[in-house]
Amino acid sequence: IKKKLMSKIKTKNMIQFSNFEKKTKIIFKNKKLLEQAFIHRSYINENPSTKLSHNERLEFLGDAVLELIVTDFLYKKYPNYAEGELTALRSALVNAVIISEVATNIGMNDYLLLSKGEAKDNGKARQYILANTYEAYIGALYLDQGIRVVDKFVHESLLPKTEEIVTKKLWRDAKSLVQEKAQEFINLTPAYRVLSESGPDHDKHFTVGIFFGSNLIAEGRGKSKREAEQKAAEAALKVKNWMD
C-alpha cells in the first residue's frame, strides 16, 4: 500500500504539468491525456501499480495528424516543388533529430516519466523518446481540442524549422544526391562496404566506406549500417565539392 501511495505521489506531485501548460499557453481539458502523452513504456514496466497507460497509442495518432499538417503546409508553401521534393522535405522536417530538438526547446524533457535506466540515458535513445513524446502530445492535443489547435501548435513549434532546412538543403538525402552527382560527373554508381564493426550486439558501431569503383572516397560512422552509409555519403559530397 505504501509503495502504491508513493508511486501516485511521484506521478501527481513531482511532475507539474501545469507549468508546461503555462509555457505552451495550451490548457488541457482532460489532464489525464496530457499526463499520458509523457509516460514512456519503461515507466509503466517499472511502476505497474500506478495503473497508468503509456503514450504509444497517442504517438500513433499524433504521427498521422502531424504528417497531415506538415504535408498541407508544404503543399501550399512550395507550389513549384515536385512530389519527390515535397516528400523529402517532409521527411527532413519530421525526423527524430529535428523533432527532438523542438521537443527540447519547449521543455518536454523536464516532464518525461521514464524508468530509472532510461532517465540516465541522454544519448540517441533520449532523442527518439523526445520525438515520440512530441507526437504523443500532438495526439493528446488533437483528442482534447481538435485539429485547429494542433495546427497552430505545430506551426509555432516545428514549422519555423522549414526555412533552415530549405536554405541549407538539409532535405536532400545524401545517398541519393551523391549517386546523382557520381553518375552525372564520373558515370559511376557509388558502392558502400562495411570497413569495421565494434561494440556488443546491443550497442554496435559501424564504419562504412563509400567507393567509386575501387577508390575509397570517404568513411562514415554510425550505430547502424544505414546511419554510417549516410555519414559516408555526406563526407563524400564534401570531398568532391558536390554540396552545391
Side-chain angles (χ1 to χ4, degrees):
I1 295 174
K2 187 176 180 181
K3 283 185 177 180
K4 288 183 180 180
L5 181 61
M6 290 300 292
S7 184
K8 287 180 180 179
I9 290 173
K10 180 179 179 183
T11 301
K12 298 297 182 184
N13 296 335
M14 292 186 70
I15 303 293
Q16 297 294 332
F17 290 102
S18 59
N19 294 333
F20 184 77
E21 289 180 297
K22 289 175 185 175
K23 187 167 186 176
T24 58
K25 298 179 182 178
I26 298 173
I27 309 302
F28 268 67
K29 301 168 189 173
N30 185 342
K31 305 299 183 185
K32 288 184 178 179
L33 273 175
L34 173 60
E35 180 181 53
Q36 186 181 346
F38 287 86
I39 300 175
H40 189 252
R41 176 184 284 274
S42 65
Y43 182 84
I44 300 299
N45 292 340
E46 198 170 84
N47 300 275
S49 61
T50 60
K51 296 183 180 180
L52 299 172
S53 299
H54 57 70
N55 64 6
E56 290 175 12
R57 279 175 55 85
L58 289 176
E59 177 199 337
F60 168 77
L61 175 61
D63 176 66
V65 174
L66 178 62
E67 183 167 315
L68 174 60
I69 290 172
V70 171
T71 301
D72 179 71
F73 169 77
L74 295 176
Y75 182 85
K76 292 172 181 175
K77 185 173 178 63
Y78 301 103
N80 297 322
Y81 276 33
E83 182 267 344
E85 293 173 311
L86 290 171
T87 299
L89 181 50
R90 182 180 62 195
S91 296
L93 260 175
V94 300
N95 77 58
V97 175
I98 295 293
I99 293 182
S100 67
E101 286 178 7
V102 171
T104 300
N105 290 340
I106 60 178
M108 285 188 167
N109 196 47
D110 298 331
Y111 299 89
L112 296 175
L113 283 163
L114 306 167
S115 67
K116 291 176 182 177
E118 291 289 355
K120 293 176 182 177
D121 189 341
N122 288 311
K124 180 155 283 191
R126 179 61 64 87
Q127 277 190 336
Y128 284 109
I129 288 173
L130 279 166
N132 292 341
T133 301
Y134 181 87
E135 292 178 347
Y137 176 81
I138 285 175
L141 187 58
Y142 173 76
L143 290 175
D144 194 67
Q145 301 191 30
I147 191 70
R148 289 187 179 180
V149 177
V150 178
D151 187 75
K152 184 174 184 292
F153 171 74
V154 173
H155 271 73
E156 291 176 352
S157 62
L158 176 63
L159 295 183
K161 292 278 187 183
T162 309
E163 291 300 327
E164 178 187 1
I165 289 171
V166 171
T167 301
K168 295 182 179 179
K169 299 183 179 179
L170 301 177
W171 56 273
R172 297 181 305 179
D173 176 75
K175 286 183 66 177
S176 298
L177 183 59
V178 79
Q179 179 170 319
E180 175 189 317
K181 296 291 186 180
Q183 290 174 344
E184 178 182 352
F185 292 116
I186 58 178
N187 198 30
L188 280 174
T189 299
Y192 298 87
R193 299 175 201 162
V194 176
L195 302 178
S196 66
E197 299 180 23
S198 62
D201 288 340
H202 70 278
D203 190 26
K204 282 280 189 184
H205 288 76
F206 298 87
T207 299
V208 168
I210 178 172
F211 291 80
F212 293 171
S214 59
N215 297 320
L216 174 63
I217 304 302
E219 297 179 10
R221 295 173 179 80
K223 289 191 173 183
S224 68
K225 292 178 183 177
R226 182 176 180 180
E227 181 183 1
E229 287 175 357
Q230 285 288 345
K231 296 291 185 182
E234 290 169 9
L237 288 170
K238 293 176 183 177
V239 167
K240 302 297 288 185
N241 197 27
W242 289 344
M243 295 294 289
D244 290 348

